[in-house]
Amino acid sequence: MGQAPIGYLLFAEEMNYNPEDSKWANRDRFVLSSGHGCMLQYSLLHLAGYKSVSIDDIKQFRQWGSKTPGHPENFETDGIEVTTGPLGMGISNAVGLAAAEAHLAAVYNKPGMPLIDHYCYTIAGDGCMQEGITHESASLAGHLGLGKLIAFYDDNGITIDGHTDLSFTEDVGMRFEAYGWQVLTVLDGNTDVAGLRDAIKQAKACTDKPTLIKVKTIIGYGSPNKADTHDIHGAALGKDEAAATRGQLGWKHGEFEVPQQAYDVFRGHAAKGASKQAEWNKMWAEYQQKEPELAAQFKRACMDRKLPDGWADSLPKLTPEDKGKATRLHSQDCINALASVLPEFMGGSADLAPSNMTLMKCTGNFLKGSYAERNFRFGIREFGMAAMCNAMSLDKTGIIPYCATFTIFSDYMRSAIRMAALSQAGTIFVTTHDSIAVGEDGPTHQPIETIPSLRMIPDLTVMRPADGNETAGAYKYAVERSKNESRPTFMAFSRQALPNLPNSSIENTFKGAYAVIECADPEVILIGTGSEVHVCVNAAKEGLAGKKVRVVSMPSWEVFRAQPASYKDALLPKNVPTLSVEAAVTMGWGEWAGAFVGIDCFGASAPGQTCLDNFGFTSANVASCAIRCIAGERGALSNGSQGKH
């Protein structure tokens, strides 16, 4: 209710949008970061003429099967750009949308033909301003000078606990000025529509900085008994208070009664947006004539959102005779191969590019003055980085974003990873240093539970490649999943060198699991992932000589789970003893194996190989556990406890 004047100005006066084509490339973007106030957004979409929100949907707010869930969901309601709810996520998404606009404008715009020239607006509340993710993304937005980003700070002084002075007294405006933003103030956001209009005009005039418009509002404005209280934050007014509010505001219409004049105002502005799109279409036709090469690229990558023919041929293919190396180095090879054939492929690392090996050599740094480049320097801002990349995918202009950090620091961006899976964002999460083989940095940097816990997130594919071919297969899968399905992939790569395996290939990686050492009628099956696959191979060849052993590499549980039952049953027959080997907690492996070699404790500070040896990831220990498995033992046969000191 307090944000209503802002919403009116954006959807009835300022924004360019077309309800008949919600994916128009040059539409203005709107993000409601304070997503709990989503009835405002649903009302605006309905008034503007989006077919996704009918008056019946408004009546069914937060009910089963409605298009008006309790927080905005882009996959549920047409016209919603990104899914918001966790506070601060939305304004961080808005930074990603603004970065996408800056990049595409720099790449494609030509004199007199600005294909990409739009604004990103967001409304954020006190809760957003308190969340750390907002600091990360707003700091980077100021550094990058994203002048097409306009954020409204709904400064109503209320959170769930009560008035914000219980816990929050900083000067938000000064903080954003320190980030490098232009900061404007509207003292009465409830009635000073002219002041809001002027602030937007000033924001658009400032082209080298993002703008924060600090709007002082009253939560629940118009409610005689609940305005300016936390009681109205997440609860309905109630029938009596709603009637009293209509009376105080002078609103003479009944419940869910919308006067035609209101529809006329909003839909009249939407019609102007449709006219703007028609003008854009004429410019696009001219652009195709004058810039045929760029136009073809824009049409394929941004409008049709398709991959070019033969793109995957650029990915490396290796044999067991090729010298082994860390899968993070294979990842580097794949990133640079893709960068040369996919101009829409862009991303970067949270200050770990030399360790993650994620720098693209064919392009420069995405910075103020060089927005056409594709290497992002996110700084040490994992959470903000991930939220930005999610938005770059959800921008629906064909960008394939990736972001990188150490596997352990994915915990810093876990909420954004979950939101990528929920909101169908095609972000590729690249992580390295994926096990206790990290070594000397010790248990603070050694992921133990990280990868298994990420496998629990629905619709997230986790890939842990074992060699160069599996790494190439993981990238082919991730790029196709991002571009064609808009779905996320999480990849975990090794710090240490690994040999190239027999029978590994891009095609086998797409099965999720396959035999690297085949054996008819095996006595035991060893399943490894990532760096533990070659340990299984060595165990089969050395400690289990004379036994009939099948060794299976399983780069992805999720991909294997989706295979036909006939393939899964043939690879992992239920009547054959099966032992899993992974340098991680054993939780979850019961889906595929009856016995496990893992590490159900924290690691230690020592050279990586020393850690692996002492915690039981040796061919000798795996062979010993396999013999016990053949003999009928089940459960965690080696859980790392022998390595504690």
Side-chain angles (χ1 to χ4, degrees), residues 89-401:
M89 189 75 72
I91 188 171
S92 302
N93 290 155
V95 175
L97 293 173
E101 193 278 342
H103 172 71
L104 294 172
V107 171
Y108 292 107
N109 288 359
K110 295 298 178 182
M113 295 184 293
L115 275 190
I116 299 297
D117 181 17
H118 57 260
Y119 289 89
C120 181
Y121 300 91
T122 182
I123 300 177
D126 290 299
C128 296
M129 293 304 165
Q130 293 178 48
E131 289 286 359
I133 186 175
T134 300
H135 158 71
E136 294 184 21
S137 56
S139 169
L140 185 55
H143 172 71
L144 293 172
L146 298 175
K148 294 289 188 67
L149 174 60
I150 301 174
F152 296 88
Y153 167 30
D154 178 23
D155 181 15
N156 63 36
I158 293 288
T159 57
I160 292 174
D161 274 357
H163 284 275
T164 53
D165 57 12
L166 288 169
S167 60
F168 187 59
T169 53
E170 68 193 48
D171 189 323
V172 173
M174 290 184 67
R175 172 154 66 102
F176 273 71
E177 285 180 351
Y179 293 152
W181 289 54
Q182 174 183 229
V183 177
L184 307 172
T185 301
V186 177
L187 294 176
D188 180 6
N190 299 116
T191 62
D192 187 8
V193 176
L196 286 167
R197 190 180 288 117
D198 183 64
I200 295 172
K201 182 179 179 181
Q202 291 183 60
K204 288 184 173 181
C206 180
T207 59
D208 62 343
K209 293 180 180 182
T211 295
L212 180 76
I213 303 175
K214 186 179 178 183
V215 186
K216 191 64 183 173
T217 65
I218 297 173
I219 190 171
Y221 177 76
S223 171
N225 300 302
K226 293 188 177 182
D228 198 31
T229 72
H230 67 93
D231 295 333
I232 205 169
H233 184 277
L237 281 173
K239 188 173 183 179
D240 292 342
E241 186 66 13
T245 301
R246 285 196 292 272
Q248 180 158 303
L249 291 172
W251 186 255
K252 303 184 185 304
H253 304 277
E255 195 173 50
F256 300 113
E257 181 184 345
V258 182
Q260 187 60 44
Q261 182 184 2
Y263 284 125
D264 291 344
V265 169
F266 281 89
R267 294 181 184 182
H269 184 70
K272 293 179 182 177
S275 297
K276 290 280 182 68
Q277 184 174 3
E279 294 171 10
W280 186 90
N281 288 338
K282 291 179 182 178
M283 177 179 63
W284 168 234
E286 179 187 358
Y287 190 97
Q288 290 174 284
Q289 294 295 319
K290 294 182 176 179
E291 298 287 344
E293 288 187 18
L294 272 179
Q297 178 178 301
F298 185 84
K299 185 176 187 303
R300 177 197 62 77
C302 302
M303 297 179 72
D304 297 341
R305 300 196 290 277
K306 293 182 178 179
L307 292 163
D309 294 338
W311 68 274
D313 295 340
S314 66
L315 291 168
K317 297 177 179 64
L318 300 161
T319 69
E321 289 69 40
D322 290 314
K323 184 179 179 181
K325 58 185 179 182
T327 52
R328 62 174 174 150
L329 297 176
H330 289 302
S331 170
Q332 180 186 37
D333 294 341
C334 291
I335 285 173
N336 279 280
L338 294 171
S340 64
V341 296
L342 297 176
E344 64 266 47
F345 185 65
M346 61 191 303
S349 169
D351 196 55
L352 289 170
S355 294
N356 296 146
M357 314 305 292
T358 48
L359 206 63
M360 292 178 281
K361 298 174 183 177
C362 66
T363 183
N365 294 323
F366 178 91
L367 295 169
K368 184 189 293 189
S370 58
Y371 293 142
E373 308 301 329
R374 292 185 281 148
N375 282 307
F376 273 79
R377 301 293 189 166
F378 287 108
I380 308 167
R381 303 181 178 100
E382 292 89 354
F383 197 3
M385 167 183 73
M388 286 178 61
C389 285
N390 288 349
M392 285 191 278
S393 172
L394 294 174
D395 191 58
K396 300 306 178 191
T397 47
I399 291 172
I400 303 172

Side-chain angles (χ1 to χ4, degrees), residues 59 89 96 178 229 252 268 273 418 479 578 597:
K59 293 176 182 178
M89 189 75 72
T229 72
K252 303 184 185 304
R418 182 180 185 274
V479 167
T578 304
V597 173

Side-chain angles (χ1 to χ4, degrees), residues 30-44:
F30 173 73
V31 177
L32 185 64
S33 190
S34 47
H36 50 282
C38 54
M39 180 44 71
L40 170 71
Q41 190 167 11
Y42 299 142
S43 300
L44 294 167

Side-chain angles (χ1 to χ4, degrees), residues 20 32-33 35 108 144 238 248 250 322 414 504 538 554 612 625:
E20 299 301 321
L32 185 64
S33 190
Y108 292 107
L144 293 172
Q248 180 158 303
D322 290 314
R414 189 181 187 89
S504 72
N538 291 340
M554 187 179 282
L612 291 168
C625 291

Side-chain angles (χ1 to χ4, degrees), residues 327 434-437 447-448 450-452 455 462-467 470-471 491-494 496 498-499 501 509 512-514 516 525-537 551-558 560 572 578-589 592-593 596-599 612 617 622:
T327 52
D434 68 343
S435 74
I436 54 172
I448 301 297
T450 308
I451 294 170
R455 291 178 179 136
V462 178
M463 286 276 189
R464 189 168 181 243
D467 71 351
E470 286 192 10
T471 300
M491 297 192 284
F493 298 112
S494 73
Q496 75 275 27
L498 305 175
L501 299 168
T509 305
Y514 62 95
V516 292
I525 298 173
L526 306 181
I527 310 174
T529 75
S531 54
E532 287 70 72
V533 177
H534 83 278
V535 178
C536 294
V537 170
V551 178
V552 170
S553 176
M554 187 179 282
S556 175
W557 289 18
E558 297 79 20
F560 182 62
L572 301 177
T578 304
L579 177 73
S580 68
V581 184
E582 183 174 52
V585 296
T586 57
M587 182 193 72
W589 270 108
W592 312 115
F596 328 118
V597 173
I599 175 168
L612 291 168
F617 296 98
V622 169

